[in-house]
Amino acid sequence: MYKQYIWFGDWTDDLLFRCFINCFVTIVCGIAPQNPKIVGGQDALLGSWPWQVSLKKFGSHFCGGSLINKNWVLSAAHCVSGPSMWQVSLGQLQLQGGNTDTQVSVGIDEITAHPQYDSGTSDNDIALLRLSSPVKFTNYIRPVCLAASDSAFNNGTASWVTGWGNTALGGEITLNTYYLQCSCLYGSGVITNNMICAGDLSGGKDACQGDSGGPMVSKQGSRWIQSGVVSFGEGCALPNRPGVYARVSIYQFWINSVIQDDKPGFVKFTSSVRDPDSTFICRRLPFLPK
């Protein structure tokens, strides 16, 4: 594979050396060579989302995930609770048949759920899966960039969610992100700062069963940056019930503490839209979801 190196000068400076390593990692992530111009609501094409993973339980699709480097996959903690025969498939478009030349299946050696994951509230619903062997990057298998801790996804930021809600990789769905408004809609105490909400408040666009653990991404320049991990929601695509995601940027320190070598590429995302959500006032009494 062709590698591009950047010369910084005197490598005796350890800080510069570490900067070089981190910058090189971010160069690799978030590029989807096969991704055409996005049209909301259409099924994906092969290679459009090369970091998308199918997490299989006893050989059948169970949840989604995202490849974040050659050895690790990011998914939801609720997907991997309890022992099982886990495997991941990459470079896959359809769950049944097709694109076998691009598909790779790998076992899982290690699962690390966030130590403060709460199955009752879905707080900290995030997990890291170490692959049994490193994967080779191709046009159909590549890592996604992760949102750095100082990222901001303001209300109105276009986001895409991918996954196999049915049998084919879909999810070219444009969503808007929310926090304060989402907290008002779901009721007091349901939405924490570790979460981010996204959806169309009029309904009709959302992640659904089978998409759990998969990535929500936004594009900045030529790079795709993952902002969320599909976690939970009330129904699917209901009005005033946006989907809820683990907020990736919150977990930069934890992810780096688990992955000792070959750190994932963290990139700061800066919203190009103002944030009307920051001034939102909840004018109704909080209520609990049904």
Side-chain angles (χ1 to χ4, degrees):
M1 182 181 71
Y2 173 77
K3 297 182 180 180
Q4 179 179 356
Y5 295 92
I6 303 173
W7 178 251
F8 281 100
D10 186 358
W11 292 112
T12 60
D13 189 328
D14 180 62
L15 180 61
L16 283 178
F17 178 75
R18 284 185 279 115
C19 177
F20 166 75
I21 295 299
N22 290 333
C23 289
F24 179 73
V25 169
T26 60
I27 287 171
V28 175
C29 71
I31 300 296
Q34 306 299 317
N35 197 320
K37 183 177 180 181
I38 299 302
V39 179
Q42 292 187 354
D43 287 340
L45 301 177
L46 180 61
S48 294
W49 311 104
W51 42 82
Q52 178 72 41
V53 163
S54 170
L55 178 59
K56 298 182 183 294
K57 184 176 184 179
F58 298 112
S60 298
H61 174 76
F62 188 69
C63 274
S66 55
L67 185 70
I68 58 174
N69 66 19
K70 63 184 179 181
N71 291 303
W72 290 86
V73 164
L74 184 67
S75 190
H78 80 263
C79 286
V80 292
S81 58
S84 184
M85 295 292 291
W86 296 107
Q87 191 177 47
V88 299
S89 289
L90 305 99
Q92 186 176 10
L93 178 63
Q94 296 178 325
L95 291 179
Q96 300 174 352
N99 61 282
T100 55
D101 292 341
T102 64
Q103 184 178 337
V104 173
S105 295
V106 187
I108 296 175
D109 272 355
E110 176 187 336
I111 296 175
T112 305
H114 194 279
Q116 293 179 303
Y117 166 60
D118 187 326
S119 60
T121 64
S122 295
D123 200 15
N124 299 300
D125 189 10
I126 194 167
L128 289 165
L129 290 61
R130 184 179 180 89
L131 303 179
S132 59
S133 60
V135 297
K136 181 180 179 181
F137 296 158
T138 69
N139 281 348
Y140 306 96
I141 300 174
R142 294 195 176 203
V144 68
C145 298
L146 300 180
S149 58
D150 54 351
S151 296
F153 294 87
N154 294 344
N155 184 358
T157 300
S159 304
W160 284 259
V161 178
T162 51
W164 286 275
N166 292 309
T167 58
L169 177 61
E172 292 185 358
I173 302 173
T174 309
L175 306 174
N176 292 323
T177 57
Y178 306 88
Y179 175 68
L180 294 177
Q181 192 169 359
C182 180
S183 182
C184 179
L185 291 169
Y186 270 96
S188 178
V190 176
I191 306 301
T192 74
N193 192 50
N194 300 322
M195 303 171 185
I196 187 171
C197 301
D200 186 334
L201 295 186
S202 63
K205 292 183 178 182
D206 197 4
C208 204
Q209 285 81 10
D211 294 330
S212 288
M216 177 169 68
V217 298
S218 294
K219 195 173 186 182
Q220 182 168 258
S222 61
R223 259 169 232 295
W224 292 93
I225 301 172
Q226 183 172 351
S227 60
V229 175
V230 179
S231 181
F232 72 94
E234 185 180 344
C236 292
L238 297 178
N240 295 317
R241 290 296 183 277
V244 185
Y245 302 76
R247 187 189 295 265
V248 170
S249 61
I250 291 288
Y251 300 101
Q252 180 174 356
F253 178 82
W254 174 73
I255 291 172
N256 280 332
S257 72
V258 174
I259 301 177
Q260 297 299 315
D261 300 314
D262 188 23
K263 301 291 188 183
F266 283 91
V267 176
K268 177 181 178 179
F269 184 92
T270 304
S271 290
S272 59
V273 295
R274 69 180 187 88
D275 189 12
D277 190 64
S278 64
T279 58
F280 176 81
I281 299 175
C282 188
R283 299 187 182 280
R284 56 188 300 178
L285 292 176
F287 60 91
L288 294 176
K290 298 177 182 179

